[in-house]
Amino acid sequence: MISEVHLQESDPEVFAAVDRERQRQNNGLELIASENFVSSAVLEAMGNVMTNKYAEGLPGHRYYGGCEFVDEAERLAIDRACKLFNCLWANVQPHSGAQANMALYYTLLQPGDTFMGMDLAHGGHLTHGSPVNFSGRTYRVVSYGVKKETGFIDFDALAKTARGVRPKLIMTGSSAYPRAWELAKFRELADEVGAYLVCDMAHFAGLVAGKVHPDVVPFCHVVSTTTHKTLRGPRGGMLVSSEKGGELLLPGMPKPKTITEALDSWVFPGVQGGPLMHVIAAKAVAFGEALRPDFRTYVEQVVKNAKVFAHELVSLGYDLVSGGTDTHLILMDLSSKGWTGKAAEKALEKAGITVNKNMVPFDPQKPMVTSGIRIGTPAITTRGMKEPEMKKIAQLVDRTLKNMNDDSVLAAVKAEVAELVKSFPLYPKSLVLRGAS
Ligand SMILES: Cc1ncc(COP(=O)(O)O)c(C=O)c1O
């Protein structure tokens, strides 16, 4: 018999840590571009008995018995993902964005093959070929980046390189590039050089779903994503494709497989074991939410907020990479002020504002120091904040940065942050911690 004692009584130490994290989220300003606040329905779907179930395989084809109900949840997640991104196939099992990318590379490349991805310092992700990541250790990586003068992708240089090295795959998408990805010309180039075109839309998947970012799925052989960030679901990964699937003969495989069949088998058993069925249930819930009209209103506001935030920062005299944003994120370049991202992150944290230090293109600083900070609007928009709050927050960021070493100013900003967030309540204790009083 399972005891009904709630966490508060059964493990007060973990309870206290979770509750302090709830309060931190409630009381601060969350500007990390890759974070968001999930709904109570998503939280509930993640914390339930589906965590108990082993379900290796795919719905209807499992290696374990008793899968009929987790099959229902996974089928809902797949169907909703296909509707959301207008695709023909989805695999909702990757535990994370990094694992989705691993399955994707393993499907389309052989160790030692050449692929192109965006340089980490120019906005790319570790899994796009960084030497400290498996992607950079397994394959020959040729990076591309942005133009120094504009901060926009240097497509001419990228195309010239691609014609020279003839990569087997071109990875698009990014973690810190503030501009929209227009993939039609990437596909033309990929076809010309005989490469697969893939996109990691982890950061802007919610914007694609809400149609405030140009579509990427029709142009790519495969698209990977996280299900958190702008998509506002549980932490996790996913692969989608609208390819009908050409024949793809993989060495060591007894018979030819379509790309999507090969992707399925590279997720499991290729790089993962049993899927996290409670997280898959929560993915289904989040995709259901993203299919509703109010999600589109939400992502429209995310982008409007980022543009107003960026405009205010520029008016206050800050340099932004590419001069602004088309998306949910802003990359501030603090080098002309003589400040580092590390110092800025720390000061903002003291003032109740959470951001992350971030490399900027051609950054002279080391990755643990950096010259930039990345700012995002998904989480504060979920709280209901709009244009007037964006201006106010940009001014608070400015005051903090100009007084980085003055603890009394940082305390005063923190008090203003606390006052501001009171009007935008987030998680009550009873919702996050069942049984909590
Ligand atoms: C573009 C991109 N891809 C992949 C990932 C990795 O996702 P995860 O942290 O779920 O492994 C991230 C995470 O920040 C990302 O920004």
Side-chain angles (χ1 to χ4, degrees):
M1 178 68 192
I2 298 288
S3 145
E4 280 200 37
V5 176
H6 288 296
L7 185 62
Q8 186 163 21
E9 299 102 66
S10 74
D11 195 330
E13 282 166 293
V14 172
F15 176 89
V18 177
D19 193 39
R20 280 197 288 271
E21 173 58 14
R22 179 189 67 86
Q23 291 177 47
R24 188 193 67 79
Q25 292 184 15
N26 282 359
N27 299 338
L29 273 173
E30 185 52 75
L31 299 185
I32 293 183
S34 48
E35 293 188 13
N36 210 331
F37 300 121
V38 299
S39 69
S40 53
V42 169
L43 280 180
E44 241 179 83
M46 253 186 295
N48 63 48
V49 294
M50 284 206 177
T51 193
N52 297 330
K53 190 72 198 99
Y54 248 108
E56 286 175 355
L58 289 167
H61 306 277
R62 305 283 193 186
Y63 290 82
Y64 288 80
C67 288
E68 58 269 45
F69 305 116
V70 292
D71 275 4
E72 281 175 22
E74 186 161 346
R75 283 202 178 101
L76 282 169
I78 293 169
D79 290 349
R80 290 175 185 178
C82 287
K83 239 186 238 157
L84 200 53
F85 294 108
N86 195 23
C87 56
L88 294 168
W89 169 92
N91 185 307
V92 296
Q93 293 189 359
H95 300 328
S96 71
Q99 275 172 299
N101 283 341
M102 186 180 254
L104 178 157
Y105 292 132
Y106 276 16
T107 300
L108 299 175
L109 301 174
Q110 294 299 313
D113 279 350
T114 300
F115 85 87
M116 290 181 69
M118 194 179 222
D119 189 291
L120 187 64
H122 290 229
H125 186 252
L126 287 164
T127 55
H128 298 186
S130 161
V132 299
N133 182 263
F134 80 92
S135 55
R137 299 169 72 117
T138 312
Y139 307 106
R140 182 174 161 255
V141 179
V142 181
S143 298
Y144 60 87
V146 300
K147 266 194 185 143
K148 197 165 190 179
E149 314 79 61
T150 62
F152 281 75
I153 290 173
D154 191 343
F155 189 79
D156 292 340
L158 180 162
K160 193 171 166 205
T161 309
R163 288 182 188 114
V165 302
R166 298 195 78 80
K168 197 158 166 198
L169 178 150
I170 300 174
M171 168 60 96
T172 59
S174 51
S175 299
Y177 180 61
R179 295 297 178 174
W181 288 82
E182 305 271 0
L183 291 191
K185 60 185 179 183
F186 279 86
R187 180 60 190 254
E188 248 177 59
L189 176 68
D191 287 344
E192 180 193 326
V193 301
Y196 290 111
L197 183 67
V198 297
C199 181
D200 176 353
M201 63 171 177
H203 256 270
F204 48 88
L207 310 188
V208 173
K211 307 203 181 330
V212 295
H213 182 284
D215 206 354
V216 296
V217 177
F219 301 105
C220 293
H221 294 93
V222 189
V223 172
S224 64
T225 186
T226 53
T227 50
H228 40 291
K229 304 192 175 87
T230 51
L231 197 47
R232 211 165 56 181
R235 303 193 71 86
M238 172 165 73
L239 291 160
V240 299
S241 176
S242 60
E243 278 291 297
K244 293 205 179 63
E247 293 286 281
L248 178 76
L249 190 57
L250 295 169
M253 291 221 170
K255 62 182 174 94
K257 292 198 172 208
T258 64
I259 290 177
T260 53
E261 281 169 350
L263 285 162
D264 277 335
S265 50
W266 270 113
V267 173
F268 169 83
V271 303
Q272 288 188 178
L276 309 175
M277 298 315 302
H278 55 307
V279 177
I280 288 174
K283 288 174 182 174
V285 174
F287 302 159
E289 290 175 356
L291 282 164
R292 293 187 202 135
D294 59 343
F295 186 80
R296 186 152 181 186
T297 314
Y298 161 67
V299 284
E300 280 168 2
Q301 191 65 47
V302 166
V303 176
K304 275 188 218 163
N305 281 353
K307 284 181 188 289
V308 169
F309 203 131
H311 188 264
E312 189 65 16
L313 289 173
V314 171
S315 317
L316 290 164
Y318 289 95
D319 294 333
L320 307 184
V321 172
S322 84
T325 181
D326 300 324
T327 62
H328 61 297
L329 77 83
I330 298 162
L331 189 55
M332 290 178 79
D333 181 347
L334 304 172
S335 54
S336 66
K337 307 271 185 197
W339 303 332
T340 65
K342 184 181 176 184
E345 178 191 292
K346 207 161 167 213
L348 286 162
E349 189 166 22
K350 278 193 191 166
I353 302 172
T354 318
V355 301
N356 66 283
K357 58 180 169 294
N358 212 101
M359 301 281 274
V360 296
F362 312 98
D363 203 323
Q365 300 282 3
K366 295 201 179 88
M368 281 308 285
V369 179
T370 81
S371 299
I373 53 173
R374 191 183 61 161
I375 287 178
T377 52
I380 49 176
T381 308
T382 292
R383 288 188 88 143
M385 294 184 185
K386 295 208 165 104
E387 289 87 342
E389 288 77 37
M390 297 306 117
K391 284 193 176 179
K392 165 100 187 148
I393 299 167
Q395 289 158 12
L396 291 174
V397 167
D398 175 49
R399 224 164 98 208
T400 305
L401 296 181
K402 283 186 177 140
N403 297 280
M404 266 192 234
N405 299 316
D406 185 337
D407 281 349
S408 65
V409 175
L410 303 189
V413 173
K414 189 168 187 172
E416 279 197 49
V417 166
E419 202 46 44
L420 173 66
V421 298
K422 263 195 211 154
S423 311
F424 300 91
L426 191 55
Y427 293 124
K429 192 166 188 168
S430 56
L431 192 154
V432 182
L433 294 154
R434 274 187 314 127
S437 47

